[in-house]
Amino acid sequence: MNNEMDAYQLLTRQAEKSSWRNWPAASRAVLPVMARERSAACLPVWFPSVVYIEPTNACNANCVFCPRRVMTRPVGYMDLTLYRSIVDQVAALGPSELRLFHYGEPMLHPALPEMIRYAHERGLVARFQTNGLVLTRERIAELLDAGMNYIGVSVNGLVARDYEAIRPGHSFETLTRNLLLLREGVQASGTPCHIHLNAHVDREEVQERDADIRSFKKHWLTVADSLSISGLSLYDRIAVVRRGEVSETALEGLPRRPDGEVACAEPFDRMVIKWDGRVSPCCADYDGRLILGDVTHQRVEEVWNGAEAQRLRGAVKERRYTEVPLCRTCPKFYSTSYNVVFVRRKFTDARSPRQELELI
């Protein structure tokens, strides 16, 4: 720990003297690693490892489990001037990873390619997650031209019947066609772009759905560089969450882990900036219940190091979650999360899908 503190103090002093982008390569390389390690241990760092920026909370789907169904905050689109200001400030602080999504479909924002381009010009990694419903040849070309090098797609269902039940009104066949266009566009452009697909299944059903999991892997071998399967329900055996309705009343009587058994690094690791500039510390805060600041009239650094953020970090580090209303309905208290990832050893040609996936 002393060595870690010494390294952190050394880098802090270096940051006070010059921008991290002017540092020697070795210092630049160690900075994001150190930040993630410190935040995992609930230790402070002067910049967030991850910054979620919500281009919009509008969506063209109505997934049965999504809390957007009960969202009360206004629907809107981030102003590009505000976005550029945020990125400039984030880039000045440190090598944060930008995730250009939150609650909504980011591809509905007409300036998404420009957002990606601007982030890369400022030396930041920029990724986003989409439902894949508006992937057209033209849109794919715009994104690749902007420098898109990673795209995550929420497939949701393992097989067609799951997909069409979870995402009513949309067909599995259309999604497949769109994602094949994506793979073709990436390969034709010669641009290195990692395609990741994610599906959901109830954790309790994983073993009995082994055949469907195998079908999912086989179906998407012609498209994805990596796949993941994670739990659909936020809480074990709580059907109400499928309608996006999670409340303390709904959780009454269910087994809850004691505060002392649950660790959370999110307030130390990330900030979530909603389309209107308000800042939350948690990805699960779909309705903006816990707001730490507002970057329309505050600096990003001011919010990150502000009194509200410090107060929250103190409560979380000491595991006094009951003092934080948003934390009381956190899934970590009621279920065990899981995420299985499959990656290709090497992707070659979409017409030659016989490569095996490696489980990691």
Side-chain angles (χ1 to χ4, degrees), residues 16 36 69 95 118 132 138 148 164 167 186 210 264 276 308 339 341:
E16 292 170 351
R36 296 310 293 264
R69 298 160 65 91
Y118 194 81
E138 296 74 20
M148 176 181 71
E164 293 172 2
R167 193 175 286 173
V186 169
D210 180 68
C264 178
D276 58 1
E308 291 299 321
N339 188 51
V341 180

Side-chain angles (χ1 to χ4, degrees), residues 197-333:
L197 308 185
N198 173 258
H200 302 282
V201 63
D202 286 332
R203 183 166 60 85
E204 297 82 1
E205 299 177 354
V206 169
Q207 291 186 346
E208 65 188 68
R209 299 205 59 186
D210 180 68
D212 287 338
I213 291 173
R214 291 179 181 276
S215 176
F216 170 77
K217 290 159 59 179
K218 180 179 180 180
H219 184 83
W220 294 118
L221 278 175
T222 56
V223 174
D225 298 291
S226 60
L227 309 172
S228 62
I229 301 173
S230 54
L232 172 62
S233 53
L234 293 178
Y235 309 87
D236 291 348
R237 303 178 302 281
I238 303 178
V240 69
V241 81
R242 291 183 181 276
R243 301 195 300 274
E245 301 168 6
V246 182
S247 67
E248 291 185 60
T249 301
L251 300 175
E252 286 179 359
L254 292 171
R256 183 185 187 278
R257 292 193 181 96
D259 282 12
E261 293 183 7
V262 174
C264 178
E266 291 206 12
F268 298 85
D269 179 66
R270 63 195 60 194
M271 65 191 312
V272 181
I273 305 177
K274 302 189 185 303
W275 71 266
D276 58 1
R278 295 182 304 144
V279 179
S280 172
C282 178
C283 303
D285 188 11
Y286 64 90
D287 223 12
R289 293 172 55 198
L290 180 57
I291 298 300
L292 302 180
D294 188 331
V295 294
T296 62
H297 59 267
Q298 292 176 280
R299 301 283 297 171
V300 168
E301 183 177 10
E302 179 186 352
V303 177
W304 178 247
N305 295 311
E308 291 299 321
Q310 300 293 1
R311 226 178 339 261
L312 175 64
R313 288 178 191 136
V316 168
K317 185 173 184 178
E318 296 174 9
R319 304 191 184 186
R320 295 181 278 110
Y321 300 109
T322 52
E323 297 178 11
V324 185
L326 181 67
C327 296
R328 293 174 191 158
T329 55
C330 178
K332 293 181 180 180
F333 292 107

Side-chain angles (χ1 to χ4, degrees), residues 137 140 144 177-190 195 222-223 350:
R137 290 187 190 277
I140 292 165
L144 290 169
R177 183 176 65 246
N178 289 355
L179 295 185
L180 287 173
L181 284 176
L182 176 61
R183 171 50 66 189
E184 290 171 8
V186 169
Q187 293 194 184
S189 71
I195 301 172
T222 56
V223 174

Side-chain angles (χ1 to χ4, degrees), residues 93-142:
L93 286 177
S96 299
E97 176 188 306
L98 298 187
R99 298 182 183 177
L100 304 182
F101 63 97
H102 183 36
Y103 282 95
E105 171 48 55
M107 288 192 64
L108 295 182
H109 198 299
L112 182 63
E114 174 58 24
M115 290 176 164
I116 293 171
R117 188 189 312 276
Y118 194 81
H120 288 170
E121 289 173 351
R122 294 303 180 272
L124 299 177
V125 172
R127 299 177 172 184
F128 72 98
Q129 189 85 10
T130 176
N131 58 31
L133 296 176
V134 290
L135 283 170
T136 63
R137 290 187 190 277
E138 296 74 20
R139 195 67 163 155
I140 292 165
E142 290 176 355

